[in-house]
Amino acid sequence: LSQQITVPSTKDEVAELALAFQRMMEKLNQSYQIQKRFSANAAHELRTPLAALQTQLEVFQMKPNREKEEYETLFQSVGESTERLSNLVKDLLTFTNEQTIERREPVELRDLIEEIRFELEDSAAERGIKIHISGQGVIIGDDRLLQRVFYNLLSNAIRYNTDGGTISVDISDSKVMVEDTGIGIPDEAKAHIFEAFFCVDKSRSRELGGSGLGLAVVKSIIEKHGGEIRIENNDPQGSRFVVTFH
Ligand code: ADP
């Protein structure tokens, strides 16, 4: 607005202005298409667990009096769908509007990651997966957002691990390495892994309760803290995520 607008006087200036206008419209259209795709993907992801909940309840309505075991199975699958919805909504909120850093305080990375291990311990133990944490480090940041980063990285390291596998988290000052002995990430997928809704294997990711938003959220939060994240292969198998805060 502060720019002075001069009325074009020559043919060249009119052509230049028309070109600039056209470019602006293309950019607007591009970002509208991105938004539209994002909303369509989000609605699609929300629909899956909602449809599962609806079917589970309908099946029960058809014959309300059932055995105790049948109730237990129902509660378990309703619980899984609800958890999936809740994680998806959390990631959607973080991704769309809650990513602003609200506080900048010293965050003890070891304490923060130990808390997440505690939260995820049961799902790791169910599959015989061990989580080792070593080292120390303090960075200045928003602990609520940083919790989301390491929750998503660790829950992926569990979900895409093999039974009896290992996860190692190594903290050294402002650098954190999260490595697992799981299925690994194919080289051709590495360039896309941080895009919203990208999954290497959609049906597998769905089965494991994924939404394809986890790593997009991780990258965006890390960059808001002035850091970066990269993926490496973990020898002989699995993935390694290296997070560096500056
Ligand atoms: P999702 O909800 O599908 O897990 P993410 O954004 O967290 O979405 O991850 C995107 C994709 O990256 C996943 O679908 C999976 O294919 C792959 N991925 C993420 N973390 C790992 C990991 N530790 N090991 C192997 N593949 C992974």
Side-chain angles (χ1 to χ4, degrees):
L1 281 179
S2 59
Q3 263 181 346
Q4 222 181 341
I5 297 172
T6 42
V7 178
S9 51
T10 66
K11 240 181 171 176
D12 278 356
E13 279 174 341
V14 173
E16 223 171 86
L17 195 72
L19 196 68
F21 188 69
Q22 193 187 343
R23 280 206 200 109
M24 195 176 78
M25 290 308 288
E26 274 165 16
K27 278 222 168 94
L28 271 174
N29 189 33
Q30 239 172 30
S31 79
Y32 171 67
Q33 294 301 334
I34 291 171
Q35 291 280 343
K36 214 163 94 171
R37 207 170 335 127
F38 185 89
S39 311
N41 275 326
H44 187 76
E45 292 300 332
L46 285 166
R47 202 169 52 182
T48 314
L50 274 175
L53 274 176
Q54 209 169 8
T55 314
Q56 285 145 2
L57 293 174
E58 273 168 13
V59 167
F60 254 73
Q61 265 170 349
M62 276 156 51
K63 183 179 158 229
N65 296 321
R66 292 186 183 245
E67 300 294 321
K68 188 168 164 267
E69 292 81 53
E70 286 182 294
Y71 278 110
E72 278 167 8
T73 314
L74 172 81
F75 287 144
Q76 195 184 340
S77 49
V78 166
E80 280 163 14
S81 303
T82 320
E83 193 186 330
R84 185 158 166 207
L85 270 175
S86 147
N87 274 330
L88 182 57
V89 169
K90 257 190 235 164
D91 277 341
L92 274 172
L93 283 174
T94 322
F95 195 69
T96 49
N97 58 16
E98 281 199 353
Q99 276 164 301
T100 39
I101 295 184
E102 276 164 15
R103 40 187 184 244
R104 283 186 184 274
E105 285 165 353
V107 178
E108 286 275 358
L109 292 171
R110 178 73 184 246
D111 292 349
L112 184 128
I113 295 170
E114 294 278 4
E115 260 176 53
I116 292 160
R117 168 167 57 184
F118 183 70
E119 235 179 284
L120 291 170
E121 216 160 39
D122 287 349
S123 56
E126 263 171 32
R127 296 185 42 220
I129 296 169
K130 297 223 159 42
I131 307 177
H132 304 288
I133 305 177
S134 60
Q136 305 275 354
V138 180
I139 61 156
I140 304 295
D142 184 325
D143 61 341
R144 188 183 53 95
L145 293 180
L146 292 167
Q147 259 162 7
R148 199 77 211 140
V149 166
F150 292 105
Y151 180 92
N152 286 358
L153 287 177
L154 280 176
S155 63
N156 278 351
I158 296 172
R159 287 189 297 135
Y160 300 104
N161 217 320
T162 40
D163 289 355
T166 310
I167 298 169
S168 308
V169 184
D170 184 48
I171 311 161
S172 109
D173 300 327
S174 54
K175 185 167 158 189
V176 185
M177 247 166 41
V178 179
E179 48 181 50
D180 63 65
T181 53
I183 61 171
I185 298 165
D187 281 343
E188 63 278 12
K190 285 196 173 111
H192 304 287
I193 213 92
F194 295 105
E195 287 167 14
F197 300 113
F198 177 86
C199 305
V200 173
D201 177 346
K202 197 121 197 151
S203 60
R204 180 169 183 154
S205 162
R206 283 254 170 81
E207 220 175 276
L208 298 171
S211 66
L213 270 179
L215 287 180
V217 166
V218 163
K219 183 167 192 266
S220 158
I221 295 175
I222 292 171
E223 286 176 352
K224 290 227 158 76
H225 281 82
E228 61 197 48
I229 179 162
R230 62 172 201 275
I231 331 166
E232 293 171 358
N233 294 334
N234 185 17
D235 249 3
Q237 74 171 73
S239 324
R240 177 184 300 127
F241 287 83
V242 183
V243 181
T244 317
F245 297 101
H246 298 290

